[in-house]
Amino acid sequence: MLPEIRSLTFLFDPLEDHAWMSHAAHVGRSTCREQNVDLQTVRAATIPFPRWMSQIEPEHVVSSCRQHDIDYVSIGPLTLNQNQSFLESIPKLIESQEILFASAEIADRSGRIDLDRIEMVADLILELSTLTSQGRAMSNLYFCAMANCPPGSPFFPASYHDGKKAKLTIAVEGAPV
């Protein structure tokens, strides 16, 4: 019995050319069908959004992903070393873009923990839990607080890219195996 593939996740930098994703998504979906493997979703994850948001609108990134046959997009985390004011933009982004996921780091991979950030992110999670968009409850599915998460994970909303070469990750649904 072959495992289900929960997702193929493309990791990319929105500031670079990512037209290749359309072909890659098509090849990934086709290959799974040909091999009789159940593929649940095709996703994309970017470098942390504060690194590109001043140059590209998140709505443009979402629109581009939709054009490339991508089901969901994670705009990467707000890392500890980035300005916390970016937290204020997250509720509007999540509410207005139904396929967008985001995250915020509360502890980094070097062991640094930011207690003030934890409190701000907790307040944000509470705020997000009350939002609805187009009749769907947000229930915090589209946002997470991250601690010690490396780049490259295919699992949303914690997925993000390190900014090096574009990559593909595969999330396998291993429970039935």
Side-chain angles (χ1 to χ4, degrees), residues 25-131:
H26 173 73
V27 168
R29 288 179 196 277
S30 297
T31 301
C32 286
R33 267 193 308 276
E34 290 167 10
Q35 298 301 316
N36 203 27
V37 172
D38 183 28
L39 171 62
Q40 293 179 8
T41 61
V42 176
R43 304 173 180 183
T46 72
I47 60 174
F49 71 96
R51 290 175 42 191
W52 54 263
M53 204 161 102
S54 66
Q55 298 172 59
I56 301 175
E57 291 291 325
E59 294 82 0
H60 176 75
V61 172
V62 168
S63 174
S64 178
C65 284
R66 282 186 170 148
Q67 290 173 353
H68 295 311
D69 202 22
I70 304 296
D71 300 308
Y72 299 102
V73 61
S74 172
I75 60 170
L78 174 65
T79 63
L80 285 184
N81 62 349
Q82 293 169 324
N83 189 319
Q84 64 195 25
S85 67
F86 282 100
L87 285 173
E88 297 167 8
S89 62
I90 291 174
K92 180 180 178 252
L93 290 171
I94 289 176
E95 188 175 26
S96 67
Q97 302 296 318
E98 67 185 37
I99 68 168
L100 183 143
F101 288 72
S103 56
E105 199 172 50
I106 57 173
D108 64 19
R109 297 196 62 225
S110 67
R112 185 172 52 134
I113 299 171
D114 186 328
L115 297 177
D116 291 333
R117 175 68 66 86
I118 290 171
E119 188 173 338
M120 287 183 276
V121 169
D123 289 342
L124 178 57
I125 289 170
L126 183 60
E127 179 183 351
L128 289 170
S129 73
T130 65
L131 293 178

Side-chain angles (χ1 to χ4, degrees), residues 11 150-155 158-162 167 169:
L11 306 171
S153 166
F155 298 103
S159 184
Y160 69 101
H161 183 40
D162 61 10
K167 296 176 176 93
T169 64

Side-chain angles (χ1 to χ4, degrees), residues 5-20:
I5 296 179
R6 182 170 181 94
S7 72
L8 297 178
T9 303
F10 301 106
L11 306 171
F12 75 104
D13 181 341
L15 298 174
E16 296 180 2
D17 178 31
H18 50 277
W20 57 269

Side-chain angles (χ1 to χ4, degrees), residues 141-161:
L141 171 68
Y142 298 91
F143 178 78
C144 77
M146 292 179 20
N148 193 25
C149 292
S153 166
F155 298 103
F156 274 37
S159 184
Y160 69 101
H161 183 40

